Amino acid sequence: MAFKVLNPGLLTTVQDLGRPGYFHLGIPMSGAMDRYALRAANLLVGNPEGAAALEAVFMGPQLEFEVDATVAVTGADLPARVDGEPHPAWTAFPVRAGQVLSFDYLKGGARAYIAISGGIDTPPALGSRSTYIIGALGGYHGRALAAGDMVPLGRSGAFRHGTEVPEALRRTVGMSAELRVLPGLYWRLITEEAGRNFFEDSWKVAPEADRMGYRFRGGRPFSFEPREQPFGAGSNPSNIVDACYPYGSIQVPGGTEPIVLHRDAVSGGGYFTLGAVISADMDLIGQMQPHTGVRFVKIDMEQALAARADEARRLGLLRDALA
């Protein structure tokens, strides 16, 4: 049971919910950049919500199926077609053996998730099928899909054609967004004025935005409190000796352009971090195209925990709707 890749699109990889537990060894979590969309796609086709699916960036692949299957496409607005016939997003639809799944041009968002009944059955690596390309780990031979690949599928249960995610539970990204930030340990290194500027300024997603991190441009450069650089930290005030980088950390190399570290980011290094974008907003970043406008919003721990609870409730509603 498999499908054949006729055209891989721009960058299509196998992803699940990631491989936590190895960050201290320098191995990132990887996994879907938009975890909510991945969960929704899997639930639509009757898979466990953490099953492996495809993450397609900006352009969809062209896939020929060897077996009958149920498919769902969520996340970015990337219209799907089966043998040329259109099918709606956020909805389960059938693909018969011998048919070809293809996609029109992207209409919104950045990453589409293509779940197939039975899930993608590549060998797990450290407990996950997620692709970490830089480390050649997981997925399909540790790399993005290529033309001619035969990607194995697991066994599926009863087909679930026509099931759809209610409109109210579908997440979309507009031309601008707000990202909530919890200031961290090294916030003290910047001046009070620089801190105000960071939250007041309008930023835009830079072209250098990928699975490792999203760079933002357009705001004023950062100024730093005077201090004697520690031994080993280098002369630039944005440098520190070394620190761990939690998921969502905001580093500012050279004090100019903030970078939010995402699913394939390194686990530590010598740049200071302002704090972190809260987990409830990280899926949103994964759907941002270059030049999307962004404002960073300062919150406290109580607000961050409340936002996480709201996301958990939203996920509960999704599970109930697709049960």
Side-chain angles (χ1 to χ4, degrees):
M1 296 185 295
F3 61 81
K4 181 178 182 179
V5 180
L6 303 180
N7 186 321
L10 183 64
L11 180 67
T12 303
T13 57
V14 176
Q15 301 293 345
D16 54 25
L17 291 177
R19 54 177 61 84
Y22 300 95
F23 214 37
H24 65 295
L25 300 176
I27 300 173
M29 294 176 287
S30 298
M33 292 278 282
D34 183 347
R35 291 159 62 87
Y36 180 85
L38 174 83
R39 292 178 191 269
N42 273 318
L43 291 171
L44 280 167
V45 300
N47 291 343
E49 60 189 63
L54 298 181
E55 178 182 270
V57 183
F58 296 139
M59 293 175 59
Q62 190 176 26
L63 312 174
E64 183 179 32
F65 282 70
E66 285 192 338
V67 294
D68 293 351
T70 301
V71 173
V73 181
T74 61
D77 188 358
L78 192 64
R81 292 180 179 270
V82 178
D83 283 352
E85 292 296 318
H87 285 270
W90 299 89
T91 303
F93 58 87
V95 181
R96 304 299 182 191
Q99 290 189 311
V100 173
L101 173 67
S102 61
F103 295 86
D104 290 343
Y105 292 110
L106 180 72
K107 294 184 176 180
R111 291 171 174 82
Y113 292 87
I114 307 162
I116 303 166
S117 53
I120 294 174
D121 197 24
T122 53
L126 300 179
S128 170
R129 293 182 169 89
S130 288
T131 310
Y132 175 42
I133 293 178
I134 294 173
L137 185 67
Y140 190 86
H141 301 296
R143 60 169 172 78
L145 298 188
D149 288 345
M150 296 296 297
V151 182
L153 295 171
R155 295 189 178 277
S156 63
F159 293 136
R160 296 163 52 108
H161 305 155
T163 306
E164 63 179 10
V165 173
E167 288 281 349
L169 295 178
R170 304 181 188 186
R171 185 164 13 217
T172 58
V173 181
M175 296 300 294
S176 63
E178 290 187 346
L179 297 176
R180 291 166 288 185
V181 173
L182 191 64
L185 177 64
Y186 297 102
W187 183 264
R188 59 185 171 80
L189 298 185
I190 62 173
T191 63
E192 185 176 334
E193 180 186 26
R196 286 197 306 269
N197 292 345
F198 174 65
F199 291 117
E200 290 175 358
D201 288 349
S202 296
W203 301 85
K204 285 190 175 183
V205 176
E208 302 89 346
D210 57 26
R211 290 186 52 83
M212 290 189 68
Y214 264 56
R215 184 185 290 266
F216 295 86
R217 291 178 179 159
R220 285 166 281 187
F222 290 77
S223 54
F224 293 83
E225 293 287 355
R227 67 172 181 137
E228 182 179 348
Q229 287 291 92
F231 176 78
S235 60
N236 193 289
S238 69
N239 294 143
I240 56 176
V241 176
D242 241 357
C244 298
Y245 291 155
Y247 173 54
S249 292
I250 308 170
Q251 62 175 212
V252 193
T256 54
E257 297 176 346
I259 301 172
V260 179
L261 303 182
H262 222 293
R263 303 299 300 182
D264 285 354
V266 296
S267 58
Y271 294 118
F272 92 106
T273 54
L274 291 173
V277 173
I278 63 173
S279 60
D281 288 350
M282 290 299 287
D283 284 355
L284 179 62
I285 293 177
Q287 292 295 353
M288 289 180 178
Q289 297 181 8
H291 309 298
T292 299
V294 168
R295 293 291 296 271
F296 293 100
V297 178
K298 184 179 181 179
I299 65 170
D300 58 26
M301 181 61 77
E302 184 177 353
Q303 292 170 308
L305 292 174
R308 186 168 71 176
D310 288 342
E311 281 298 294
R313 282 191 288 270
R314 180 186 180 89
L315 185 56
L317 292 173
L318 176 70
R319 290 170 177 149
D320 290 343
L322 302 181

